Amino acid sequence: MRMIDLLRRTEVRTGRKSLRAFPALLLALGVLVAACADASEDTTTTTAAATTAAMTETTADTSAQAGSHDFVMITFFANCSFCQTLEAGAIAAGEQLGVNVQIVQPGGVDAETLNPALQAATAAEPDAIGISYFTKGQESAILDTLDEGIPVMLFNNNRFEAVDGDPATATTDPRILTLSYVGQDETKSGEVLMTHLLPQLGEGKVVIFNNAPGATVLTLRADGVKRVLDANGIPYEDLDGELDEVVNQQTISAYLDANPDTAGIIGLGNPASNPAGVIVGERGLDIVIGTFDVDTAAVEHLKQGTLTAALNQQPWLQGYMTVVNMYIETVLGLNPVNVDTGTQIVTMDNVHLLEAAVAAGRN
């Protein structure tokens, strides 16, 4: 029996609070928080004037078909293919489960942007809220939501660790630490990818190409890669890049000129690995290249063999399973589950399966 059918058959309706204000409040929410994000950096609160102005705007209604339960997914940006894929998964789950899913795109990934979005969503009294956790700065707002009796589900990011070794920046509250999480386990993602690539690696060193130096997620990926290399006595070197693929192509080209003993390149994201694939393909080099995430360019590199393997964190599944978790807790009365979506290794042999998922809007 399919899981969705099982969920439907065992649905237990529970007493619900009044949600008459839910649609109107959430329609205004996307623009309200976007207005906060576009303001100056010193905008941790929303003024009455800003609220009134935002209420006069409109925002796209990306709700699933209306149902008896109301869920909110607070994502990131409107013009973001990764976000759109994640949101499509959430909406698909809502349609299959017969619940209303409202997507909110606050326009940022910092506490100053996400907290007002969460506070506004909480005021609308939905049955559950999904959000990413990037920093301890979000802790208080999430605890306030939990105090209102609204379950919170985490997806895509659950960064609880200290920043730069400062213990004051670590999240330690057990109510946050025990929230369900759907997404890639970044503490081991680098190990998973590098372990897969190890048998294909020739003699020489590995360069770890970071397209966003200082980003905690990429640091964790790199740490995992390094643990595997250290355990196997393989030398490696860090190389800083940026989000601009044209610049990164020049950077990796110059690096390979100066380091002909390079046996492997690990791009910590597609903006690093795709340019590496171009250079390796043009020069006909026998170099292993690994990456995280899979965009359309990465698919082509995998098909051509200029990209050896990618670890796909499956954003569509992140959105889908987060809504399923909301349903599990609020409708079935069961504990939501943790789902590691970053376990799919994509290579030339199975990339055709991912192409099908991409074509269907699931990646």
Side-chain angles (χ1 to χ4, degrees), residues 11-20 22 67-71 99-100 124-128 330-331:
E11 177 175 340
V12 178
R13 296 194 180 279
T14 58
R16 298 171 63 248
K17 49 192 153 318
S18 172
L19 293 171
R20 288 192 295 268
F22 181 80
S68 59
H69 287 73
D70 298 295
F71 300 150
V99 297
N100 181 62
E125 298 185 334
D127 292 281
T330 64
V331 179

Side-chain angles (χ1 to χ4, degrees), residues 138-276:
Q138 296 174 250
E139 182 179 55
S140 178
I142 290 180
L143 290 175
D144 288 344
T145 298
L146 294 174
D147 288 340
E148 291 296 322
I150 300 174
V152 175
M153 315 288 162
L154 302 183
F155 66 88
N156 186 253
N157 261 273
N158 60 342
R159 302 274 58 86
F160 303 138
E161 64 276 354
V163 177
D164 296 328
D166 180 2
T169 62
T171 298
T172 58
D173 192 298
R175 296 178 66 191
I176 303 291
L177 299 179
T178 55
L179 293 176
S180 66
Y181 173 66
V182 177
Q184 184 166 276
D185 184 346
E186 298 295 359
T187 61
K188 70 174 185 180
S189 62
E191 294 182 15
V192 172
L193 178 64
M194 196 64 239
T195 298
H196 173 82
L197 292 172
L198 206 58
Q200 304 170 66
L201 199 63
E203 292 293 327
K205 66 182 176 183
V206 172
V207 58
I208 301 171
F209 197 8
N210 190 337
N211 52 271
T216 302
V217 169
L218 301 195
T219 299
L220 293 172
R221 292 175 179 178
D223 288 345
V225 170
K226 292 173 183 178
R227 282 193 292 272
V228 174
L229 295 174
D230 285 335
N232 289 274
I234 298 172
Y236 57 83
E237 191 171 14
D238 291 304
L239 178 65
D240 286 347
E242 50 187 87
L243 295 176
D244 189 322
E245 294 196 12
V246 174
V247 174
N248 287 345
Q249 189 169 321
Q250 297 168 349
T251 300
I252 197 66
S253 178
Y255 181 87
L256 293 177
D257 286 341
N259 297 271
D261 61 334
T262 301
I265 302 170
I266 304 299
L268 300 182
N270 294 144
S273 58
N274 288 339

Side-chain angles (χ1 to χ4, degrees), residues 91-159:
I91 291 171
E95 291 173 344
Q96 292 181 14
L97 292 169
V99 297
N100 181 62
V101 176
Q102 181 73 38
I103 304 297
V104 176
Q105 301 160 331
V109 295
D110 50 48
E112 290 77 12
T113 304
L114 292 172
N115 286 350
L118 178 60
Q119 291 159 356
T122 300
E125 298 185 334
D127 292 281
I129 298 173
I131 194 169
S132 291
Y133 193 89
F134 293 95
T135 170
K136 183 179 174 66
Q138 296 174 250
E139 182 179 55
S140 178
I142 290 180
L143 290 175
D144 288 344
T145 298
L146 294 174
D147 288 340
E148 291 296 322
I150 300 174
V152 175
M153 315 288 162
L154 302 183
F155 66 88
N156 186 253
N157 261 273
N158 60 342
R159 302 274 58 86

Side-chain angles (χ1 to χ4, degrees), residues 29 32-33 36 43-46 74 110-122 141:
L29 180 59
L32 169 60
V33 181
C36 295
T43 54
T44 56
T45 60
T46 305
I74 300 174
D110 50 48
E112 290 77 12
T113 304
L114 292 172
N115 286 350
L118 178 60
Q119 291 159 356
T122 300

Side-chain angles (χ1 to χ4, degrees), residues 55-113:
M55 292 286 284
T56 64
E57 302 287 344
T58 59
T59 186
D61 184 2
T62 52
S63 301
Q65 296 174 354
S68 59
H69 287 73
D70 298 295
F71 300 150
V72 179
M73 285 286 289
I74 300 174
T75 62
F76 319 122
F77 306 97
N79 298 317
C80 163
S81 60
F82 183 93
C83 305
Q84 291 163 0
T85 302
L86 188 151
E87 292 160 4
I91 291 171
E95 291 173 344
Q96 292 181 14
L97 292 169
V99 297
N100 181 62
V101 176
Q102 181 73 38
I103 304 297
V104 176
Q105 301 160 331
V109 295
D110 50 48
E112 290 77 12
T113 304

